[in-house]
């Protein structure tokens, strides 16, 4: 059996290197996709976002606020405006993403401790950038406004500590973990590459068995496997798994160091979870390939299955916020448990012990898909023998 598996393994590698539907998807496309994804987020951070100021206060305090806003990482003051209509027009044209309005008599209201409202107009159509602008603007306005009152108390002779306790009775200190600078490249690129690799592994695996029939090489495969579907599927699976490892090394040893400045090939928990993802994807592809003889139909099923993986995985929107049926649908794709483990072993650097649920989920895919593929394909090989008898 081992000799037969090895023979199929070598045969499948030759097919991978010679058939365009294999080597283009497995060797050429990953390089292109990794490069494109990395270059899209090459700037890493959302910095110097265009913001306008509508200053009706025209005071030293409003000018100080404007200066402090400009000093933040996300905000860059690009325009001075004089009305809401002007803000709306600039936002619609894409010239600004937000605007800050300082009302008349702001200085006097703050110093006399009367309520005053500084308004932030943000374009929430761009969700992430609007939240970054809001975070920095809120921090500046609250800090600067409290500083004015603090100075007033200190000038009256109040001790600085007591004045601070009156101005800010609760001091909040935030500590952002795992992606403190909201780095787009470090956060989005690994997930995007993983979902792309899942799609490529499944789509090529879908062609492993039924494409033999299309090329007229099914009899050759049966003879080389000794008529055993398990030998044929095991040899092909090992070849495609080793190809998946090649792509893993490409991403972690070449692409990631070049674009993200780090080497993650030594992250063994990530390698284990990626291996389980690859085996689960290959198993699903083999199952579809064994059931459907029509190559186009099988590929359509693969595309239908893999296309929504990123949306339903919870990478950009939490799954618990989705309807219950969408949550169940998300769990029918191998990428979902892999993504959960990616957060743990890649971003949080946790040991593999914390991924036992995700490992069990991926193993369930493997246990269910491979037996179906072997049983169905064995029947087709047996029919092939009967036809030639």
């Amino acid at each position: 059996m081992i000799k037969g598996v090895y023979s199929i393994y070598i045969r499948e590698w030759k097919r991978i290197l010679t058939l365009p539907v294999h080597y283009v998807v497995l060797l050429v496309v990953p390089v292109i996709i990794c490069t494109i994804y990395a270059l899209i987020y090459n700037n890493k951070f959302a910095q110097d976002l265009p913001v306008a100021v509508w200053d009706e206060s025209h005071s030293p305090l409003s000018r100080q606020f404007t200066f402090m806003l400009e000093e933040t990482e996300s905000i860059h003051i690009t325009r001075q405006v004089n009305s809401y209509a002007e803000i709306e027009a600039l936002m619609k044209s894409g010239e600004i993403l937000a605007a800050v309005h300082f009302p008349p008599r702001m200085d006097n209201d703050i110093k006399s401790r009367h309520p005053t409202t500084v308004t932030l107009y943000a374009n929430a159509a761009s969700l992430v950038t609007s939240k970054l602008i809001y975070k920095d603007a809120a921090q500046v306005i609250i800090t600067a406004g409290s500083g004015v009152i603090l100075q007033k108390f200190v000038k009256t002779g109040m001790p600085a500590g007591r004045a601070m306790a009156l101005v800010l009775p609760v001091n909040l200190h935030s500590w952002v973990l795992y992606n403190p600078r909201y780095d787009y490249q470090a956060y989005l690129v690994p997930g995007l590459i993983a979902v792309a690799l899942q799609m490529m592994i499944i789509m090529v695996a879908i062609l492993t068995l039924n494409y033999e029939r299309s090329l007229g090489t099914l009899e050759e495969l049966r003879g080389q496997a000794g008529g055993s579907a398990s030998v044929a599927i095991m040899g092909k699976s090992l070849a495609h798994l080793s190809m998946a490892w090649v792509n893993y090394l490409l991403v972690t040893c070449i692409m990631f160091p070049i674009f993200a400045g780090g080497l993650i090939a030594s992250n063994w928990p990530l390698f284990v979870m990626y291996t389980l993802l690859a085996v689960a994807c290959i198993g699903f592809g083999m199952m579809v390939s064994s059931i459907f003889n029509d190559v186009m139909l099988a590929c359509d099923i693969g595309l239908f299955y893999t296309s929504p993986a990123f949306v339903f995985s919870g990478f950009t929107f939490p799954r618990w916020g989705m309807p219950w049926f969408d949550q169940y649908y998300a769990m029918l794709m191998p990428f979902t448990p892999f993504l959960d483990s990616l957060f743990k072993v890649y971003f949080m650097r946790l040991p593999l012990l914390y991924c036992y649920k995700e490992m069990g989920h991926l193993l369930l895919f493997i246990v269910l898909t491979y037996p179906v593929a072997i049983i169905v394909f064995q029947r087709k090989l047996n029919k092939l023998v009967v036809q030639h008898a």
Side-chain angles (χ1 to χ4, degrees):
M1 181 178 177
I2 296 178
K3 185 177 180 180
V5 170
Y6 178 75
S7 176
I8 298 297
Y9 173 85
I10 298 299
R11 178 181 182 275
E12 189 65 20
W13 256 109
K14 292 178 180 178
R15 289 169 61 84
I16 290 174
L17 296 175
T18 55
L19 293 176
V21 293
H22 284 11
Y23 70 74
V24 170
V25 177
L26 293 177
L27 294 173
V28 179
V29 174
V31 176
I32 296 174
I33 287 181
C34 291
T35 304
I36 290 175
Y37 283 161
L39 290 177
I40 288 174
Y41 302 104
N42 197 41
N43 288 332
K44 298 185 179 182
F45 315 110
Q47 295 176 308
D48 296 331
L49 303 171
V51 177
V53 169
W54 178 13
D55 187 1
E56 290 190 295
S57 178
H58 302 293
S59 63
L61 191 55
S62 65
R63 288 191 289 272
Q64 180 185 350
F65 282 9
T66 301
F67 174 78
M68 294 176 68
L69 289 169
E70 178 65 36
E71 291 300 303
T72 63
E73 187 175 61
S74 65
I75 296 174
H76 176 47
I77 306 299
T78 58
R79 300 291 292 266
Q80 294 285 336
V81 298
N82 299 303
S83 67
Y84 173 76
E86 196 173 348
I87 292 174
E88 191 174 24
L90 290 172
M91 203 170 286
K92 287 180 178 179
S93 66
E95 294 185 45
I96 62 172
L97 291 174
V100 181
H101 174 226
F102 300 122
R105 298 182 53 81
M106 182 181 67
D107 285 40
N108 294 334
D109 289 340
I110 292 177
K111 291 176 181 178
S112 60
R113 304 192 67 187
H114 288 160
T116 186
T117 301
V118 175
T119 305
L120 173 68
Y121 301 94
N123 182 4
S126 180
L127 189 61
V128 175
T129 54
S130 66
K131 287 189 174 183
L132 289 175
I133 292 173
Y134 171 79
K135 178 179 70 72
D136 284 345
Q139 184 176 358
V140 166
I141 301 302
I142 293 173
T143 302
S146 301
V148 174
I149 300 174
L150 178 64
Q151 289 178 1
K152 183 179 179 181
F153 284 153
V154 171
K155 287 180 180 178
T156 63
M158 184 182 294
R162 185 181 174 189
M164 179 63 75
L166 288 174
V167 174
L168 292 173
V170 178
N171 187 19
L172 173 65
H173 178 67
S174 62
W175 187 267
V176 181
L177 302 175
Y178 311 125
N179 188 19
R181 295 194 66 192
Y182 302 95
D183 187 333
Y184 279 83
Q185 191 175 67
Y187 178 74
L188 286 176
V189 171
L192 288 170
I193 290 176
V195 75
L197 289 177
Q198 175 200 246
M199 179 177 287
M200 287 181 285
I201 292 170
I202 288 178
M203 294 308 297
V204 173
I206 283 176
L207 300 175
T208 52
L209 301 177
N210 54 21
Y211 205 56
E212 297 270 7
R213 181 185 295 273
S214 300
L215 295 180
T217 57
L218 191 58
E219 179 63 37
E220 175 192 330
L221 173 65
R222 188 193 67 81
Q224 205 161 347
S228 172
S230 59
V231 170
I233 289 177
M234 190 178 299
K236 283 177 171 287
S237 297
L238 288 174
H240 286 272
L241 176 60
S242 58
M243 187 67 248
W245 285 339
V246 171
N247 283 323
Y248 178 84
L249 294 176
L250 166 71
V251 173
T252 59
C253 294
I254 300 176
M255 305 303 297
F256 194 84
I258 291 175
F259 293 106
L263 181 66
I264 59 174
S266 59
N267 189 330
W268 287 107
L270 177 61
F271 175 74
V272 171
M273 296 309 301
Y274 173 80
T275 299
L276 289 175
L277 171 69
V279 176
C281 291
I282 295 168
F284 176 82
M286 291 282 186
M287 182 181 69
V288 174
S289 186
S290 65
I291 295 174
F292 299 98
N293 291 330
D294 190 290
V295 173
M296 292 301 297
L297 176 60
C299 288
D300 287 341
I301 293 173
L303 285 173
F304 177 80
Y305 178 73
T306 58
S307 296
F310 189 78
V311 176
F312 285 90
S313 66
F315 195 73
T316 55
F317 186 81
R319 288 197 304 275
W320 54 260
M322 300 178 186
W324 64 268
F325 46 85
D326 286 334
Q327 296 182 42
Y328 280 109
Y329 181 71
M331 302 309 290
L332 295 177
M333 290 175 282
F335 181 71
T336 301
F338 173 77
L339 178 65
D340 292 342
S341 69
L342 181 68
F343 285 121
K344 295 177 181 179
V345 301
Y346 174 67
F347 291 105
M348 302 173 72
R349 299 289 176 176
L350 295 175
L352 198 60
L353 175 66
Y354 287 83
C355 299
Y356 68 93
K357 290 183 179 179
E358 292 78 12
M359 293 175 68
H361 194 160
L362 289 171
L363 286 171
L364 185 61
F365 278 103
I366 297 170
V367 169
L368 292 177
T369 55
Y370 278 95
V372 173
I374 291 172
I375 292 171
V376 174
F377 192 58
Q378 186 65 62
R379 289 179 178 178
K380 292 186 177 181
L381 291 181
N382 293 341
K383 288 181 180 180
L384 195 66
V385 175
V386 172
Q387 290 173 1
H388 288 276

